[in-house]
């Protein structure tokens, strides 16, 4: 289950891992500190007090400053792989919009989950639809090209890319990201988080194109953290988890999640 509380605008979800329930939180430190859960997990782009967590995983993400003038933001994009693609999408008449209609949400939900099924990655839960912001694209002929979904921080300063699935046609990915950046810029957001990357120049790597796609928008490559807090006897889980992550999955938390999903260990 995933939930956003409108008053405080914090975002969290419960994930079941075998017999364990994990309280998964984005950005909201105070909720991470105060929540009474056996296993808590905080996704954050800054360092927090070492006394407030049991262990952490350090990853990478691209963070783009969208508080600048919109022309200056666009100027940071790579010309050949990004600016040209966005301009070409405009010339081809690709329409991008922020989804509000329930039918459009259902269309995106079905499209995204078919993509997840094909890739073997965790699917969206139906409860998430009203708690993420979705942007979709289509052609002049009304061909649905897919969409991207985002979550926002409680202070409404940071937006994070969370889900995405398109047909990879007509530069829809670039068009959607650019439209979303403009939308959040106009609403006063300051940072656009591209949702994590695995930096690599190895063209045979699964992560290569994923990394290059996000890099071309000109954001800064920064450390991103996942903090864990365990209660009581559950603290003994840390050592085996660290060993499994390091030696079986080479510190790749995404690969671990995919493996757990494929083996139906996570819901």
């Amino acid at each position: 289950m995933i939930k956003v509380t409108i008053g405080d605008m914090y975002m969290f979800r419960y994930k079941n891992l075998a017999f364990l329930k994990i309280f998964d939180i984005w950005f909201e430190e105070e909720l991470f500190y105060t929540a009474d859960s056996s296993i808590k997990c905080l996704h954050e782009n800054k360092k927090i007090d070492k006394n407030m967590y049991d262990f952490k995983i350090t990853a990478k993400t691209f963070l783009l400053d969208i508080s600048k003038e919109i022309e200056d933001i666009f100027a940071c994009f790579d010309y050949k792989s990004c600016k040209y693609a966005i301009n070409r999408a405009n010339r081809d008449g690709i329409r991008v919009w922020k989804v509000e209609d329930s039918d459009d949400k259902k269309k995106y939900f079905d499209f995204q989950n078919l993509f997840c099924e094909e890739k073997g990655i965790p699917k969206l839960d139906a409860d998430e639809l009203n708690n993420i912001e979705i942007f979709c694209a289509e052609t002049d002929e009304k061909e649905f090209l897919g969409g991207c979904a985002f979550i926002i921080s409680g202070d409404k300063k940071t937006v994070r890319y969370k889900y995405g699935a398109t047909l990879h046609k007509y530069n829809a990915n670039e068009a959607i990201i650019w439209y979303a950046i403009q939308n959040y810029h106009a609403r006063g957001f300051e940072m656009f988080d591209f949702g994590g990357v695995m930096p690599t120049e190895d063209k045979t790597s699964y992560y290569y194109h994923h990394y290059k796609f996000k890099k071309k928008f000109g954001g800064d490559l920064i450390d991103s953290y996942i903090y864990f807090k365990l209660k009581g006897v559950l603290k003994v889980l840390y050592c085996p988890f660290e060993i499994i992550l390091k030696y079986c999955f080479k510190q790749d938390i995404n690969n671990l999640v995919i493996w757990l999903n494929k083996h139906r260990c996570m819901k």
Side-chain angles (χ1 to χ4, degrees):
M1 182 188 76
I2 194 163
K3 182 176 181 180
V4 172
T5 300
I6 299 302
D8 297 321
M9 283 307 294
Y10 54 74
M11 183 172 184
F12 64 83
R13 68 180 176 183
Y14 292 99
K15 297 292 289 183
N16 294 317
L17 175 58
F19 61 91
L20 302 172
K21 180 172 285 189
I22 302 173
F23 192 43
D24 213 18
I25 307 162
W26 279 265
F27 300 120
E28 306 311 312
E29 289 181 51
E30 189 62 29
L31 180 60
F32 178 68
Y33 300 151
T34 60
D36 185 22
S37 298
S38 298
I39 304 178
K40 297 183 288 187
C41 173
L42 173 67
H43 303 259
E44 181 60 271
N45 289 337
K46 61 183 180 181
K47 294 182 178 180
I48 65 174
D49 190 326
K50 292 182 179 180
N51 295 319
M52 302 308 295
Y53 63 90
D54 292 314
F55 67 96
K56 70 179 179 181
I57 297 172
T58 302
K60 294 288 185 180
T61 192
F62 281 112
L63 198 63
L64 179 66
D65 182 357
I66 59 171
S67 66
K68 301 180 291 186
E69 295 295 327
I70 200 67
E71 295 82 5
D72 295 330
I73 298 172
F74 189 75
C76 293
F77 298 173
D78 181 78
Y79 176 76
K80 290 184 178 179
S81 61
C82 197
K83 291 180 183 177
Y84 177 82
I86 292 168
N87 291 332
R88 181 60 185 268
N90 289 334
R91 290 197 298 271
D92 289 340
I94 302 305
R95 183 176 80 91
V96 181
W97 73 99
K98 184 175 182 292
V99 170
E100 305 290 351
D101 180 81
S102 59
D103 290 340
D104 285 343
K105 289 182 180 180
K106 179 63 165 55
K107 184 184 294 186
Y108 168 75
F109 178 78
D110 292 340
F111 188 96
Q112 176 72 40
N113 277 350
L114 179 60
F115 174 85
C116 291
E117 185 174 331
E118 292 173 348
K119 298 293 184 179
I121 58 180
K123 294 182 180 181
L124 275 74
D125 189 281
D127 291 340
E128 294 186 63
L129 278 179
N130 293 321
N131 301 318
I132 54 179
E133 296 193 340
I134 304 165
F135 295 79
C136 289
E138 67 180 11
T139 66
D140 272 344
E141 293 76 25
K142 304 298 181 182
E143 178 185 7
F144 186 72
L145 299 175
C148 299
F150 304 85
I151 57 176
I152 61 178
S153 62
D155 58 12
K156 297 186 179 181
K157 291 183 179 180
T158 301
V159 55
R160 179 180 174 90
Y161 181 99
K162 193 68 176 68
Y163 302 110
T166 73
L167 294 178
H168 296 284
K169 295 168 62 175
Y170 305 113
N171 302 293
N173 286 316
E174 290 84 357
I176 293 170
I177 295 294
W178 175 228
Y179 186 95
I181 288 172
Q182 293 178 89
N183 181 279
Y184 289 112
H185 168 82
R187 290 159 59 187
F189 283 75
E190 297 176 1
M191 293 294 172
F192 191 97
D193 182 340
F194 280 85
V197 292
M198 289 286 288
T200 179
E201 295 298 331
D202 179 4
K203 294 183 179 180
T204 65
S205 169
Y206 169 82
Y207 294 106
Y208 177 76
H209 294 292
H210 179 259
Y211 169 63
K212 288 297 184 180
F213 174 79
K214 294 184 177 183
K215 181 180 180 180
K216 67 187 183 183
F217 286 91
D220 294 321
L221 185 64
I222 67 164
D223 286 338
S224 182
Y225 307 98
I226 307 174
Y227 298 99
F228 292 88
K229 185 72 175 178
L230 309 179
K231 182 182 291 186
V233 70
L234 292 176
K235 290 181 183 292
V236 302
L237 295 175
Y238 166 59
C239 286
F241 173 80
E242 185 180 39
I243 292 170
I244 291 170
L245 183 63
K246 181 177 181 179
Y247 292 103
C248 299
F249 296 94
K250 298 180 180 179
Q251 297 286 46
D252 185 351
I253 188 69
N254 293 322
N255 200 17
L256 172 58
V257 170
I258 291 172
W259 186 92
L260 292 170
N261 181 68
K262 286 183 177 179
H263 290 79
R264 302 183 183 278
C265 299
M266 179 173 286
K267 296 181 180 179

